[in-house]
Amino acid sequence: MDKKAVLEGLLFVVGEEGLTAAEIQNLLEVSEYEFQKLISALDEDYRRKDRGIQIAFLGNCYKLVTKQEHKEYYQKMVKIEENSTLSGAALETLAIIAYNQPITRVEVDEIRGVSSVHHVRKLLLKNLIREMGKSDLPGRPMSYGVTDEFLDYFGLSSIEDLPKIKIEDISENEQVDLFESKYKEQ
C-alpha cells in the first residue's frame, strides 16, 4: 500500500479541518521520521506547476489548500455560485439548520450522514445562514442559524411559519433515508 497516497486521501477527506502530525502518524502507523518523509514527498509533488493544490500547515494542522496564484479563477467560481440555484444537498443542509438552529456543522453532518462543509460555506456566501456564536460543545464550534434573507427567499414572516414536521421513531435495524424519514411535513 502506498502510504503517500493514503496520506493524500486522508487530507482530502478531512478538508478544512486538517490533521495534526500526531494524528497522521497514528492513522498511518508510522514514526515521526517516516511521517516527515511522506509529508515532504507529497508536498514536493504538489509544488509542481501543473498541480492546483498544495499542502499548508495552518493552525497546527496539515491541510490541502488551493494555490494562491490561481486565486482569480476561484473568485470567478464563487461569483458564478452566488447566482446559481441551490442543489438538493444544499437545500437539505438549509432545512436542517432552519429546523434545528442554533446547530453546529458537525451536528448537521451527523444528521445528513455526510460532510456539509461546502454547503454551509455556500449558504453563508448566499447569506441564507449566519454564524450565531460559539456552541458550548467541546472545542466550542461555531453554531449556525437562518437569516432574514432566508425568510424573504422562502416567503416567511418568521421562523415559526416553517411547515410543522413530525419526527418519527426509527428502529435501529431499519434502513431508511435519514432526511426523508426524520423530517416529514405534517
Side-chain angles (χ1 to χ4, degrees):
M1 178 178 356
D2 183 354
K3 289 197 176 185
K4 183 173 74 168
V6 174
L7 173 58
E8 179 180 40
L10 289 171
L11 291 173
F12 176 78
V13 168
V14 296
E16 67 184 23
E17 292 177 20
L19 291 170
T20 65
E23 290 171 328
I24 295 169
Q25 288 173 41
N26 185 42
L27 288 166
L28 294 178
E29 299 173 342
V30 297
S31 68
E32 184 177 349
Y33 175 76
E34 291 173 296
F35 159 73
Q36 289 298 332
K37 280 178 50 177
L38 287 170
I39 201 80
S40 293
L42 189 56
D43 186 49
E44 188 176 315
D45 288 350
Y46 284 132
R47 291 196 183 276
R48 294 191 342 238
K49 290 184 188 264
D50 65 340
R51 301 301 296 263
I53 57 177
Q54 63 188 11
I55 296 177
F57 185 71
L58 304 165
N60 203 30
C61 290
Y62 290 91
K63 305 172 184 191
L64 292 178
V65 298
T66 56
K67 289 188 173 179
Q68 185 67 24
E69 58 263 30
H70 304 151
K71 180 180 174 181
E72 68 181 276
Y73 298 99
Y74 307 135
Q75 288 174 327
K76 286 180 188 178
M77 181 188 72
V78 171
K79 287 179 184 174
I80 290 169
E81 280 190 2
E82 286 175 351
N83 297 324
S84 65
T85 59
L86 294 174
S87 67
L91 284 171
E92 177 183 49
T93 301
L94 184 58
I96 291 168
I97 293 169
Y99 279 99
N100 296 285
Q101 65 181 336
I103 186 170
T104 67
R105 186 193 48 80
V106 172
E107 291 171 321
V108 173
D109 293 352
E110 287 173 1
I111 293 170
R112 291 190 65 229
V114 295
S115 176
S116 302
V117 173
H118 175 73
H119 304 298
V120 167
R121 196 174 307 139
K122 186 174 186 176
L123 294 169
L124 283 166
L125 283 171
K126 289 184 169 290
N127 204 29
L128 293 173
I129 64 171
R130 65 182 176 88
E131 294 178 344
M132 296 183 72
K134 299 284 187 177
S135 165
D136 291 333
L137 296 172
R140 305 216 5 105
M142 185 60 63
S143 62
Y144 299 95
V146 296
T147 63
D148 289 341
E149 284 80 356
F150 165 86
L151 298 173
D152 290 345
Y153 186 85
F154 288 98
L156 304 170
S157 57
S158 75
I159 200 71
E160 286 78 31
D161 292 340
L162 281 170
K164 302 297 178 230
I165 56 171
K166 177 178 147 188
I167 299 178
E168 299 176 355
D169 291 329
I170 301 169
S171 72
E172 289 183 29
N173 297 328
E174 192 177 342
Q175 289 188 351
V176 293
D177 179 21
L178 182 61
F179 183 75
E180 288 295 321
S181 64
K182 190 166 182 178
Y183 298 98
K184 291 191 185 259
E185 205 170 316
Q186 288 184 349

